Amino acid sequence: MKTYTDYLTITTPTRYEIRDITDEVAAIVKASGVRDGLVLVSAMHITASIFVNDRESGLWNDIMRWLEDLAPAKPEYEHHRTGEDNADAHLKRMLLGHQVTMPITNGKLDVGPWERVHYGEFDGRRPKRIVIKVMGV
Amino acid sequence: MKTYTDYLTITTPTRYEIRDITDEVAAIVKASGVRDGLVLVSAMHITASIFVNDRESGLWNDIMRWLEDLAPAKPEYEHHRTGEDNADAHLKRMLLGHQVTMPITNGKLDVGPWERVHYGEFDGRRPKRIVIKVMGV
Amino acid sequence: MKTYTDYLTITTPTRYEIRDITDEVAAIVKASGVRDGLVLVSAMHITASIFVNDRESGLWNDIMRWLEDLAPAKPEYEHHRTGEDNADAHLKRMLLGHQVTMPITNGKLDVGPWERVHYGEFDGRRPKRIVIKVMGV
């Protein structure tokens, strides 16, 4: 059995952003040499998400508006007594989830026609890491 | 180490439906011959969910109503400018999640007394695939 | 390849509680002898969550208030016709998710500076189990 680990670092220019990272994940899977197995893609910062959905900019805008409806940025969070101002980012990241595990079959991501792996940033403008761990044969 | 991959295809008669797929997943685990390991169950379409909860039809109705409250079907999504009408399905699927990883111990799903693996469909009436990847010894 | 399985049992004194279980998970990873791989941490009861977020009591209170806003405890759930009174717990647990898979690198949880594994209880005051399955080399 093989394991292979790599990291992506993303610094978004704005506070909120969605980015497709499927090609980066696929390149790491290829580098691992694993033909059959699993790859975990997990945000190492607690104000960011990893999720699978459609690469469509209108939908990305819908997602951001919807997250703001359900987990709005506002001053009144108890977390802000620590000096932070990003409690909404902690909640938004949980709505979308912070990690995915993708199957690898015949050396490639075994995905449906529209599945793309996305990074969701809710407190950006600084470097954030994603861990990618491949395991298989 | 062994790996084993199979797929389920589900075509629901209605647009929205919840279905218990635990028996199908358990049969694939048995066919794999894996005695100890993990099984990933992941929806390959981006308008469907995989989640673990109670097999109870009243709760299923509660879940569907609750998803409609939090991510309603309505015309005003930006995604619909592409000609699609299913933006709510993309959001609903993220609330429940699109995949689970179940432990396998002594050749069986290692689950609690009420844990059942469910498929949640939010844009049905056409064939949708689920990938099931078993890995272990 | 090695696999290693253990269980935690948690009985909270109150109905709703968030608890940091990172140290317990790390101890099981150490006991497994796995140096590189994955560890699945999964709630075996369908009214509890496992999630990764900040160990900060103000944020924990924000999370509990937010869950109550989005999935309130109230009598009117159809699930309650079975005699249960915990439909809100089934919904809350899905908002946060019921499992995480953590990477293991160099014999340790490969986590970011603020990542902590949490247990979220929404129907406590009785023993609940968590399965922890380690797999790797």
Side-chain angles (χ1 to χ4, degrees):
Chain A
M1 199 198 63
K2 293 176 192 170
T3 62
Y4 185 87
T5 308
D6 205 346
Y7 305 85
L8 296 175
T9 300
I10 291 179
T11 307
T12 61
T14 54
R15 183 156 181 160
Y16 300 93
E17 186 175 320
I18 291 174
R19 192 177 290 196
D20 181 345
I21 60 166
T22 313
D23 291 346
E24 289 86 340
V25 173
I28 292 169
V29 167
K30 190 175 181 186
S32 76
V34 168
R35 301 284 306 164
D36 203 290
L38 301 172
V39 54
L40 173 71
V41 184
S42 190
M44 302 183 82
H45 293 260
I46 52 187
T47 50
S49 282
I50 302 290
F51 62 97
V52 169
N53 219 312
D54 199 357
R55 183 192 177 118
E56 199 280 296
S57 62
L59 182 67
W60 295 1
N61 292 339
D62 291 327
I63 290 170
M64 279 296 190
R65 275 186 215 108
W66 175 70
L67 291 174
E68 184 61 22
D69 280 346
L70 295 188
K74 58 181 185 184
E76 298 82 6
Y77 292 108
E78 196 171 324
H79 182 50
H80 295 172
R81 296 183 192 170
T82 64
E84 294 284 353
D85 66 353
N86 61 1
D88 72 300
H90 290 271
L91 303 180
K92 285 172 168 119
R93 91 84 155 238
M94 290 197 290
L95 279 174
L96 298 194
H98 85 282
Q99 60 181 198
V100 299
T101 302
M102 308 302 290
I104 303 164
T105 307
N106 297 324
K108 292 190 174 171
L109 290 174
D110 191 352
V111 291
W114 303 103
E115 283 192 287
R116 302 289 293 180
V117 182
H118 288 86
Y119 177 72
E121 176 62 81
F122 310 114
D123 189 20
R125 297 175 294 194
R126 44 183 166 153
K128 301 276 195 89
R129 289 209 305 162
I130 301 163
V131 56
I132 296 169
K133 172 86 70 177
V134 189
M135 205 161 98
V137 288
Chain B
M1 199 198 64
K2 293 175 193 171
T3 62
Y4 185 87
T5 308
D6 205 346
Y7 305 85
L8 297 175
T9 301
I10 291 179
T11 308
T12 61
T14 54
R15 182 154 182 160
Y16 299 93
E17 186 176 321
I18 291 175
R19 192 177 290 195
D20 181 347
I21 60 167
T22 313
D23 292 344
E24 288 86 342
V25 174
I28 291 168
V29 168
K30 190 175 181 186
S32 76
V34 168
R35 303 284 305 164
D36 204 290
L38 300 172
V39 53
L40 172 71
V41 184
S42 190
M44 302 183 83
H45 293 260
I46 52 187
T47 50
S49 281
I50 302 289
F51 63 97
V52 169
N53 218 311
D54 200 356
R55 183 192 177 118
E56 200 279 296
S57 61
L59 181 68
W60 293 2
N61 292 338
D62 290 327
I63 290 170
M64 279 295 189
R65 274 186 217 108
W66 175 70
L67 291 174
E68 184 61 23
D69 279 347
L70 294 187
K74 60 181 183 182
E76 296 82 7
Y77 291 108
E78 195 170 324
H79 182 49
H80 294 173
R81 295 181 194 172
T82 64
E84 294 284 353
D85 66 354
N86 62 0
D88 72 299
H90 290 271
L91 303 180
K92 284 173 169 120
R93 92 84 157 240
M94 290 197 290
L95 279 174
L96 298 194
H98 84 281
Q99 61 180 196
V100 298
T101 302
M102 307 304 290
I104 302 164
T105 307
N106 298 323
K108 292 188 176 172
L109 290 175
D110 192 352
V111 290
W114 303 103
E115 283 191 288
R116 302 289 293 180
V117 181
H118 288 85
Y119 177 71
E121 175 63 79
F122 310 113
D123 189 19
R125 296 176 295 193
R126 43 183 167 152
K128 299 278 194 87
R129 289 208 304 161
I130 302 163
V131 56
I132 296 169
K133 172 85 69 178
V134 189
M135 205 162 96
V137 288
Chain C
M1 198 198 63
K2 293 175 192 171
T3 61
Y4 185 87
T5 309
D6 205 346
Y7 305 85
L8 296 175
T9 301
I10 291 180
T11 308
T12 61
T14 54
R15 182 154 181 162
Y16 299 93
E17 186 175 321
I18 291 174
R19 192 177 289 195
D20 181 346
I21 60 167
T22 313
D23 292 345
E24 289 86 340
V25 173
I28 291 169
V29 167
K30 190 175 181 186
S32 76
V34 168
R35 301 285 306 164
D36 203 290
L38 301 172
V39 53
L40 172 72
V41 185
S42 190
M44 302 183 83
H45 293 259
I46 51 187
T47 50
S49 281
I50 302 290
F51 62 97
V52 169
N53 219 311
D54 200 356
R55 183 192 177 119
E56 198 280 295
S57 63
L59 182 67
W60 294 1
N61 292 338
D62 291 327
I63 290 170
M64 279 295 189
R65 274 186 217 109
W66 176 70
L67 291 174
E68 184 61 23
D69 280 346
L70 295 188
K74 60 181 184 182
E76 298 82 6
Y77 291 109
E78 195 171 325
H79 182 49
H80 294 173
R81 296 181 193 172
T82 64
E84 294 285 353
D85 67 353
N86 62 1
D88 72 300
H90 290 272
L91 303 180
K92 285 172 169 120
R93 91 85 157 236
M94 290 196 291
L95 279 174
L96 297 193
H98 84 282
Q99 61 180 198
V100 297
T101 302
M102 307 303 290
I104 302 164
T105 307
N106 297 324
K108 293 188 175 172
L109 290 174
D110 192 352
V111 290
W114 303 102
E115 283 191 289
R116 302 289 294 180
V117 182
H118 289 85
Y119 177 71
E121 175 64 80
F122 310 113
D123 189 20
R125 296 176 293 193
R126 45 184 165 151
K128 300 277 195 90
R129 290 209 303 162
I130 302 163
V131 55
I132 296 170
K133 172 85 70 178
V134 190
M135 205 162 95
V137 288

